[in-house]
Amino acid sequence: MEARSVDEIPRGREWKYEPKWDGFRCLLSREGSSVDLRSKSGEDLARYFPEIVAAALGLKPDRFTLDGEIVVPQGKGFSFDALLQRIHPAASRVKKLAQETPALYLVFDLLATAREKQLAKAPLSERRPALEAFTKSYLKGSIFRLSPATASYATARKWLAQSGGGSDGVIAKRVDLAYQAGNRDGMQKIKKFRSADCVVGGFRYATNKIAGRNVVGSLLLGLYDDEGLLHHVGFTSAIKTQEKPDLTDRLEALIGEPGFTGNAPGGPSRWSTERSAKWCPLKPKLVIEVCYDHFSGGRFRHGTSILRWRPDKAPRQCRFEQLKQKLAYPMKLLK
């Protein structure tokens, strides 16, 4: 069951709302002594989260299927960076991290039990009470936690306004529909988008040339800390093709070391090529306002979109403090 992205929280009696967790979506199935953890893309996650497998095997019911999210707690919230570290090829490393940063499985749907094998065909109005009863009987005091749900539009708006720290929006589900496997008809997601003024501390050239010349492919964004160091926090590649030649001229005139004086863009990784890892440092002269959906671990989690250039803003005014917000602290929402 997948979600369709929308701009506003839908209203009406046919909707129920849940926090949108910032983790790994995962179907968990147990059949006797076998436990399967399956990602949204169909990948097997069981080897990376042995503590969840062990917890599932320790439950009294020996046949059930749950839909939920894998997260790693850190403080009052969840850490996506710590979650990413769990995806490691070495079994010894996985075992060590399972002990140091154990995961939680946040449950938000029950699709089958030994008695109700076709529960997924029932509407959410029946599946949710069945999930709550299942949780009360079998999941208390374990690494399984019930994800909250509400019919209150006001509560959903509050969750959206306070999203962050492991929750990055709101999910709306149709209470009158069965589990919509493989489509987006029964579920919508709404994210909280924010804006930030950032210094352009560097840029990368695009792989493809325009009219035989190299042009900008992405802008590297920076924010200042309290010590006056400029840290790399993300990028934007949402640059219109027709604007790239003139923007490249503007950027090349500002090329100069060091660019970022704090954390700088890293080198090649398993997701990048040698070319994509190369970047040009810029003198801190340009300020751009970008739109983002989530900030964690000192950087924007995803690529940002450009809202406008800010020639009226001094680069030194672009500081981390503008990102501060009141969070709901996801751990407080869990039962």
Side-chain angles (χ1 to χ4, degrees):
M1 186 168 174
E2 300 186 40
R4 177 176 290 111
S5 294
V6 297
D7 295 329
E8 301 290 339
I9 301 174
R11 303 186 71 163
R13 294 181 179 178
E14 71 272 25
W15 295 102
K16 202 165 189 109
Y17 312 106
E18 302 171 10
K20 182 183 180 301
W21 303 113
D22 188 27
F24 290 163
R25 180 78 176 277
C26 176
L27 282 178
L28 186 156
S29 300
R30 179 181 174 186
E31 288 290 333
S33 61
S34 175
V35 173
D36 183 77
L37 302 182
R38 195 63 50 176
S39 74
K40 192 162 63 172
S41 62
E43 297 295 322
D44 182 6
L45 297 176
R47 69 179 301 269
Y48 303 117
F49 300 96
E51 72 275 34
I52 294 180
V53 173
L57 289 173
L59 298 177
K60 184 176 180 180
D62 62 357
R63 281 174 174 77
F64 57 86
T65 299
L66 301 170
D67 191 1
E69 196 99 0
I70 299 175
V71 298
V72 171
Q74 188 173 83
K76 297 179 180 179
F78 306 132
S79 171
F80 194 81
D81 290 334
L83 182 64
L84 286 175
Q85 294 299 316
R86 298 295 304 273
I87 308 301
H88 198 281
S92 59
R93 178 66 174 169
V94 169
K95 182 179 180 180
K96 183 173 184 291
L97 291 176
Q99 296 173 341
E100 295 178 350
T101 57
L104 293 178
Y105 186 85
L106 311 185
V107 187
F108 42 69
D109 214 334
L110 177 63
L111 308 183
T113 65
R115 291 185 177 181
E116 299 179 272
K117 298 180 180 179
Q118 301 297 320
L119 189 58
K121 294 183 178 180
L124 181 64
S125 58
E126 296 179 18
R127 301 198 313 273
R128 181 69 193 193
L131 171 63
E132 292 174 354
F134 186 89
T135 301
K136 184 177 181 180
S137 297
Y138 306 117
L139 303 185
K140 296 189 70 174
S142 70
I143 65 172
F144 295 91
R145 302 293 180 86
L146 178 64
S147 181
T150 182
S152 168
Y153 176 78
T155 299
R157 287 190 62 185
K158 181 179 179 181
W159 286 345
L160 181 62
Q162 296 183 345
S163 59
S167 169
D168 61 356
V170 167
I171 290 290
K173 294 180 178 178
R174 288 277 298 270
V175 299
D176 56 333
L177 295 182
Y179 189 84
Q180 301 294 301
N183 68 59
R184 304 176 190 272
D185 294 337
M187 187 162 71
Q188 297 183 357
K189 60 181 177 182
I190 308 93
K191 288 189 176 184
K192 174 71 173 182
F193 287 93
R194 308 171 181 89
S195 69
D197 296 319
C198 298
V199 178
V200 181
F203 73 97
R204 289 190 175 103
Y205 285 106
T207 301
N208 299 322
K209 297 182 179 181
I210 295 180
R213 67 165 292 188
N214 290 323
V215 293
V216 59
S218 61
L219 304 176
L220 306 181
L221 310 174
L223 292 174
Y224 284 100
D225 65 12
D226 293 337
E227 283 71 47
L229 297 177
L230 183 63
H231 296 273
H232 175 240
V233 294
F235 72 95
T236 183
S237 56
I239 308 168
K240 296 179 180 179
T241 300
Q242 64 270 27
E243 296 177 355
K244 288 185 176 182
D246 288 343
L247 178 56
T248 303
D249 292 338
R250 188 180 180 191
L251 296 173
E252 289 178 338
L254 294 174
I255 291 177
E257 298 285 351
F260 297 96
T261 52
N263 297 329
S269 70
R270 56 181 168 172
W271 294 285
S272 66
T273 63
E274 182 179 356
R275 178 179 176 84
S276 68
K278 295 179 180 178
W279 61 282
C280 299
L282 294 179
K283 298 173 184 176
K285 300 292 185 181
L286 302 177
V287 174
I288 193 169
E289 185 179 4
V290 297
C291 179
Y292 69 97
D293 63 347
H294 195 64
F295 187 86
S296 66
R299 62 182 183 273
F300 299 119
R301 271 276 313 284
H302 310 108
T304 64
S305 59
I306 298 173
L307 293 179
R308 56 178 173 160
W309 291 92
R310 295 295 306 268
D312 58 318
K313 190 99 173 185
R316 288 282 175 176
Q317 292 178 297
C318 302
R319 298 164 57 87
F320 280 100
E321 62 185 21
Q322 68 181 300
L323 305 180
K324 292 180 179 179
Q325 58 170 315
K326 183 179 180 180
L327 304 180
Y329 291 126
M331 289 297 287
K332 291 184 178 181
L333 298 178
L334 302 177
K335 296 181 180 179

